[in-house]
Amino acid sequence: MKKKQIKEQSLISFEQKKDQIMGLWFQDCIEFGHGSTLSIKIKDVLYHGRSAFQEIAVLGTEKMGRLLVIDGVTMLTEYDESAYHEMIAHVPLLVHPKPSRVLVIGGGDGGTVREVLKHPEVEAVHLCEIDEDVVRVCREYLPSLASGLDDPRVEIFYEDGAKFVADRRSAYDVVIVDSTDPFGPGQILFQEPFYADMKRCLTEQGIAVTQCESIYLHRPVIEGVYSFARKLYPGLGYYYTLVPTYPSGIIGFFFCSKKLDPLGGVDERRAAKLRGLKYYSPEMHRAAFALPRFAREFLPFK
């Protein structure tokens, strides 16, 4: 799609940077904090459209592979998405002794499902994604992430994730919440009723991992989730991964377990059999739970 075809009211911004190297740049529509934002030099617009829920674009970049943008916000680049998807998936799956049934909420790009399918113990993966167009677009333009969605172990439900979890009991060994930021429809996934429903959705040794923002930029959000999650889950932890194209370069996750300690039993034998990894290792797994001093002020894990 040519630049002139994109409507002016679009949340996705493209502009020529005359004071930099000439070319077309994408600029994230949100300010990350401390007066900073993200700009990425792009070659072309591969897809741009609007679904019933949001505005979606896939851009070809100069140096970072393909870039997925939703409502003007960077969702992922092929350059660094592995740091996010490997850590959200392999941390819980290598702690659980037999993760046979897995639910992924959000994650319509397919990256989390791709990583989950690397575990032969997994017999069924349910993907609950509210926006069918995200899956359709990523299947076509981001096959490096979405190709696993056609695996026979995968079943896709185009439903609201909060309602999906509330309607199921003791159904999954692992739940992975690959959500957007806590604004608009995604806000409910950061609230106590959802975390309580998620606990009931898990089997006896169940683990849930939820995307929960940056320790540098989103202290109130993280603090709020911690305040109720620590009462619900005996095995609670917070860990993070390094993703250069995300705000502050860091994004974190809550590890919510009914029984299992996130550091008590990393299965190194199974980890050694995983193929195609770029970021995850048992060493990174353990290190990711070591929080800097300022974060321990509002995440006082013992």
Side-chain angles (χ1 to χ4, degrees):
M1 180 176 289
K2 295 181 180 179
K3 182 182 173 185
K4 66 181 180 181
Q5 294 176 297
I6 299 173
K7 296 181 180 179
E8 291 183 357
Q9 66 267 28
S10 170
L11 291 170
I12 298 174
S13 172
F14 307 91
E15 58 178 312
Q16 296 284 342
K17 296 284 189 180
K18 293 184 179 179
D19 56 338
Q20 302 180 37
I21 299 173
M22 293 299 291
L24 186 63
W25 292 70
F26 162 74
Q27 182 166 311
D28 213 297
C29 78
I30 60 170
E31 182 181 311
F32 289 174
H34 309 293
S36 64
T37 188
L38 174 72
S39 293
I40 298 176
K41 190 175 183 182
I42 64 173
K43 297 186 295 185
D44 48 17
V45 180
L46 303 173
Y47 174 85
H48 180 250
R50 182 175 293 278
S51 73
F53 299 93
Q54 54 207 347
E55 186 180 14
I56 305 168
V58 180
L59 314 176
T61 74
E62 290 281 352
K63 301 290 185 180
M64 294 184 171
R66 293 185 175 185
L67 161 67
L68 175 64
V69 179
I70 292 181
D71 282 345
V73 179
T74 299
M75 293 291 108
L76 62 89
T77 72
E78 289 182 310
Y79 168 72
D80 59 9
E81 55 84 12
S82 59
Y84 176 85
H85 292 119
E86 290 180 19
M87 290 298 280
I88 201 174
H90 300 311
V91 169
L93 287 166
L94 288 170
V95 172
H96 197 287
K98 196 177 188 310
S100 60
R101 292 181 59 81
V102 178
L103 169 64
V104 178
I105 297 175
D109 56 75
T112 298
V113 170
R114 179 196 65 199
E115 297 304 315
V116 169
L117 291 171
K118 292 178 180 179
H119 294 258
E121 299 81 11
V122 172
E123 298 173 0
V125 184
H126 289 175
L127 173 66
C128 183
E129 164 63 59
I130 197 169
D131 193 343
E132 188 170 358
D133 281 0
V134 171
V135 174
R136 176 184 60 79
V137 169
C138 291
R139 272 183 159 141
E140 183 172 355
Y141 295 99
L142 288 164
S144 62
L145 286 91
S147 58
L149 297 178
D150 295 321
D151 188 285
R153 289 176 287 172
V154 178
E155 186 174 358
I156 303 176
F157 300 83
Y158 296 109
E159 301 179 26
D160 176 84
K163 185 177 185 305
F164 189 90
V165 165
D167 291 342
R168 285 158 177 80
R169 294 289 182 270
S170 302
Y172 299 103
D173 302 304
V174 175
V175 174
I176 300 173
V177 184
D178 184 359
S179 65
T180 57
D181 295 324
F183 309 108
Q187 189 172 3
I188 194 171
L189 303 181
F190 292 78
Q191 296 175 356
E192 184 171 1
F194 173 73
Y195 274 70
D197 287 337
M198 190 166 57
K199 183 179 181 182
R200 289 188 286 269
C201 184
L202 292 168
T203 54
E204 186 178 355
Q205 290 187 300
I207 300 169
V209 163
T210 62
Q211 186 278 110
C212 204
E213 304 301 312
S214 165
I215 53 176
Y216 279 100
L217 302 178
H218 307 109
R219 174 171 176 167
V221 174
I222 299 169
E223 222 170 7
V225 173
Y226 176 77
S227 69
F228 57 75
R230 65 188 177 90
K231 301 173 186 176
L232 290 169
Y233 293 92
L236 185 69
Y238 185 90
Y239 67 101
Y240 62 90
T241 187
L242 307 176
V243 186
T245 50
Y246 283 172
S248 80
I250 289 178
I251 193 161
F253 314 95
F254 269 106
F255 181 103
C256 306
S257 171
K258 295 173 83 169
K259 286 188 176 181
L260 300 167
D261 185 320
L263 297 173
V266 182
D267 194 327
E268 299 204 22
R269 179 186 58 82
R270 284 165 48 206
K273 295 179 180 179
L274 297 174
R275 294 292 176 261
L277 299 185
K278 296 180 180 179
Y279 189 97
Y280 179 90
S281 69
E283 294 79 12
M284 289 301 297
H285 180 136
R286 298 184 182 98
F289 286 88
L291 302 178
R293 289 181 181 273
F294 77 88
R296 295 205 306 267
E297 293 177 5
F298 56 93
L299 290 168
F301 293 106
K302 295 181 180 179

